[in-house]
Amino acid sequence: MSPRTNDGEREQPGQPDAGRPAPQARRPEPATGGPTPEPEARRATSGDDAPETGTRITGSVSDAEAVSDAEAETRDSDEPTEARASGEAAEGREPRDPAVGRDSDDRTEAREAAGGRELALPAQPEPAPVAGDERVAAVRRVGEAGRRWRAVHLGACAAMLAVALTAGAVALGAVHEQRGVPVAAAAAVSPGLLAGGDLDASITALQTHLRAQPRDFGGWATLGLAYVEQARTKGDPSRYPQAEQALGRSLALRADNDQALAGRAALAAARHDFAGALSFADRTLKQNPYNERALSSRIDALVELGRYDDADAAVRTADQRRPGIPVFTRYAYVHELRGDVTTARRVLDRALAASSSPGDIAYVAAQLGQLAWNQGDYATALTHYARALAADENYLPALEGRARAQAASGRQAEAVKGLELIVARYPLPGPLVELGELYEARGRAGDAAKAADQYALVDAWTAIARANGVNADLDTALAAADHGDRATALRAARDDWSRRHTVHTADALAWALHVNGKDAEALPYARQATATGYRNASFLYHLGVIEKATGHPQDARTHLSAALKLNPGFSALGAREARTALKSLEATK
């Protein structure tokens, strides 16, 4: 999924019933015709959900746009472990109910997925302040991470991933998908909750509560949603079966409760079952048309299915019903996908101005950083990432984005150090691939082996994800096309395309076809990936290379030049190869 999916509202699991939200008055439609999105809280709260305490925005996007275009233009120029229940922990016992506590088989499954090896790895010390980016007061790190990674060979890397996933890690925000990760799953719990370090504590409190009150269907639904978020933010797919059990328990107690139905939509999205997410979201909205989670999941599912017009309509509906920061961010991303960067930036600026909680600030500022980085504006990107990290020094998208912007700015040593610290704590596909490519680009003695270790960890993560019900085809296709088995990349890309037609799946399929020597078949997909106007240098690079291979030299020069002009540091290896291909074309004019 897209990285533009995260909650903008805080929830405290296990709180009393807050009652169903009242419908909001319909706002006047803009002169351009149809209702325009108003910000809805990303963290959809159901009628049975806990009280809302996070940032709320009282005006819609259309209201904000109508305030002052002149004022907006002025702004445009100023870019600115799970823990066990306390009693059982004291006695050293695991919870007996797998929906409440970790299943004892999770660690074994993770080890098997990583090759059946278990190593006694050195314990990670407590994060200590690091003086890296002087714009951030303090960013926590894991000490001696670089030395440990230099000492660990390929098998140790895979085992380390399994241990890291089952032992737990520090909470972080939003996937990924980023890249558009494109596969960042819909969030279930507020980033503000994560930023405050409350997610694990809230899960512990919920577990204790549910042992005493096992028929609390709302508590089970909230626990399931918290597991979804914990799985997503820690890169630990083994949490998803626990989330499914908890949500199933809630629905068994009360089949029509929209909180659990919305949780099933969030779980399906987290597992990249976007058709399922859409179905559950629609079922939820029949029960409660104002359920924020369902409204949010519906938008995300439509985006990830490539139904961009429908997603735009859905964001407008959500904007009318439940305004909040999440609709601002979704609205911005839909516009970015269509190449309207100015509107996307303006909306995100307004969302940031309205943010007050650390989680909201970190989330929106990181989105602005990603938007700036996509346009090759590294100085602005670093400024936004610094603001995000000042609000939450452990926020992964900002940590990863800062390292990427540092690398593109020529600060390779800082970028490598930052990514080494990230992957030691969060062994997720995006930062693993980025670090591997930086090692390859650096080319020192031993760097090739280090890079291979990172790519092997991606394979280990993918195996664990699949074992826990996650569709990892897009992750597999993207990583394997350049750094793994090409046939596997093509098979995964074709499978993903059979389920959804997004710009990201079109690009992944085009590139997988190219690396397998099927350039004529790849060309239509590469063109489809750029057809919406989405300004992505990697997509333009892939298109240019494929056009060069299919005998379209003029088009290839145009698109390779456009990629390097838009974002000259879009990839440590890809940008270098784009320059080489462009020189070759110029030489044969």
Side-chain angles (χ1 to χ4, degrees):
M1 285 187 61
S2 123
R4 309 291 197 267
T5 55
N6 201 354
D7 296 338
E9 248 188 313
R10 182 184 300 269
E11 172 186 38
Q12 300 296 340
Q15 300 262 341
D17 194 332
R20 188 174 302 278
Q24 310 225 348
R26 183 181 182 90
R27 291 172 174 77
E29 295 184 0
T32 52
T36 328
E38 329 171 35
E40 151 219 326
R42 172 64 177 218
R43 253 205 27 90
T45 321
S46 76
D48 296 313
D49 208 349
E52 301 170 1
T53 59
T55 302
R56 298 292 296 172
I57 300 177
T58 58
S60 68
V61 173
S62 55
D63 291 341
E65 291 290 343
V67 171
S68 170
D69 288 338
E71 181 182 340
E73 303 225 353
T74 302
R75 278 198 300 273
D76 285 343
S77 64
D78 297 324
E79 296 290 344
T81 239
E82 169 193 325
R84 299 174 187 169
S86 55
E88 292 190 345
E91 297 173 18
R93 294 186 289 109
E94 290 287 343
R96 285 172 291 182
D97 190 336
V100 174
R102 176 178 291 284
D103 186 343
S104 61
D105 291 337
D106 285 350
R107 191 184 304 274
T108 301
E109 291 175 2
R111 283 200 302 269
E112 290 174 352
R117 295 180 295 278
E118 179 178 13
L119 297 185
L121 296 174
Q124 294 185 12
E126 287 297 317
V130 58
D133 192 328
E134 53 192 30
R135 284 172 290 197
V136 182
V139 178
R140 290 194 142 347
R141 68 183 173 112
V142 177
E144 304 296 325
R147 185 178 65 208
R148 183 168 68 254
W149 275 84
R150 286 193 296 271
V152 179
H153 56 71
L154 177 63
C157 285
M160 177 181 174
L161 176 64
V163 173
L165 292 182
T166 55
V170 179
L172 52 100
V175 186
H176 18 214
E177 207 248 7
Q178 298 158 1
R179 62 186 7 126
V181 173
V183 293
V189 178
S190 163
L193 195 62
L194 296 178
D198 295 330
L199 182 58
D200 290 346
S202 296
I203 287 176
T204 300
L206 271 170
Q207 291 170 339
T208 302
H209 167 74
L210 288 168
R211 290 187 186 95
Q213 301 290 336
R215 298 191 63 78
D216 179 2
F217 67 89
W220 284 110
T222 304
L223 179 62
L225 286 160
Y227 281 147
V228 171
E229 180 69 358
Q230 200 173 48
R232 187 186 65 80
T233 58
K234 294 185 177 186
D236 183 358
S238 67
R239 292 294 190 191
Y240 292 135
Q242 285 181 291
E244 188 169 10
Q245 286 179 320
L247 293 168
R249 182 75 61 87
S250 177
L251 289 168
L253 291 167
R254 185 165 173 177
D256 63 347
N257 87 83
D258 60 285
Q259 185 181 357
L261 288 171
R264 293 297 297 270
L267 176 60
R271 284 172 155 171
H272 306 159
D273 174 14
F274 300 112
L278 181 60
S279 176
F280 276 115
D282 285 339
R283 284 179 57 187
T284 307
L285 293 172
K286 288 181 180 179
Q287 295 289 337
N288 177 9
Y290 297 90
N291 184 297
E292 290 177 336
R293 284 195 192 92
L295 289 166
S296 299
S297 293
R298 189 170 194 277
I299 298 165
D300 297 335
L302 289 168
V303 167
E304 294 304 325
L305 289 169
R307 294 168 55 179
Y308 299 130
D309 289 340
D310 291 338
D312 184 67
V315 83
R316 293 170 185 270
T317 298
D319 181 44
Q320 290 183 336
R321 293 178 183 176
R322 295 304 299 267
I325 284 175
V327 162
F328 266 127
T329 56
R330 285 172 170 81
Y331 182 78
Y333 187 52
V334 168
H335 277 265
E336 184 187 354
L337 286 169
R338 291 173 170 170
D340 186 359
V341 174
T342 299
T343 297
R345 181 172 56 246
R346 181 177 300 171
V347 171
L348 288 174
D349 280 339
R350 287 172 177 155
L352 183 59
S355 299
S356 58
S357 72
D360 290 343
I361 293 168
Y363 171 58
V364 180
Q367 297 307 304
L368 278 163
Q370 174 70 16
L371 185 64
W373 184 84
N374 280 344
Q375 314 313 311
D377 187 353
Y378 308 134
T380 299
L382 287 167
T383 297
H384 287 307
Y385 290 134
R387 182 166 184 183
L389 292 169
D392 178 1
E393 60 192 3
N394 291 310
Y395 192 57
L396 177 64
L399 290 169
E400 183 181 352
R402 182 178 65 177
R404 195 166 50 239
Q406 287 170 336
S409 302
R411 296 158 59 181
Q412 301 290 333
E414 292 175 79
V416 168
K417 182 178 180 180
L419 284 169
E420 286 175 339
L421 295 175
I422 290 169
V423 301
R425 298 163 69 184
Y426 314 123
L428 299 172
L432 287 167
V433 170
E434 288 162 8
L435 179 57
E437 291 189 347
L438 282 178
Y439 283 143
E440 285 195 64
R442 188 173 66 178
R444 294 180 184 173
D447 276 351
K450 289 181 181 180
D453 287 348
Q454 312 314 307
Y455 306 144
L457 273 172
V458 175
D459 293 339
W461 181 91
T462 300
I464 294 170
R466 290 186 188 282
N468 286 279
V470 178
N471 181 337
D473 281 337
L474 188 56
D475 299 278
T476 299
L478 291 169
D482 287 323
H483 309 296
D485 182 77
R486 295 176 178 180
T488 297
L490 182 54
R491 182 167 57 251
R494 287 194 190 279
D495 287 346
D496 207 52
W497 181 258
S498 71
R499 289 183 294 274
R500 56 193 183 121
H501 293 177
T502 72
V503 293
H504 295 96
T505 50
D507 172 70
L509 179 54
W511 195 241
L513 286 164
H514 163 72
V515 299
N516 280 274
K518 300 178 182 292
D519 291 294
E521 187 180 352
L523 185 57
Y525 294 108
R527 288 175 172 165
Q528 186 168 339
T530 59
T532 67
Y534 182 40
R535 292 166 58 83
N536 186 299
S538 181
F539 289 12
L540 291 168
Y541 157 62
H542 290 162
L543 176 58
V545 169
I546 292 168
E547 286 171 334
K548 179 176 182 290
T550 53
H552 299 82
Q554 184 57 49
D555 290 339
R557 278 192 291 270
T558 297
H559 290 118
L560 289 170
S561 298
L564 294 169
K565 181 179 180 180
L566 174 62
N567 187 352
F570 69 88
S571 163
L573 299 181
R576 183 176 67 186
E577 291 167 3
R579 292 185 181 92
T580 299
L582 191 56
K583 287 180 181 178
S584 171
L585 286 165
E586 294 296 337
T588 58
K589 266 188 177 180

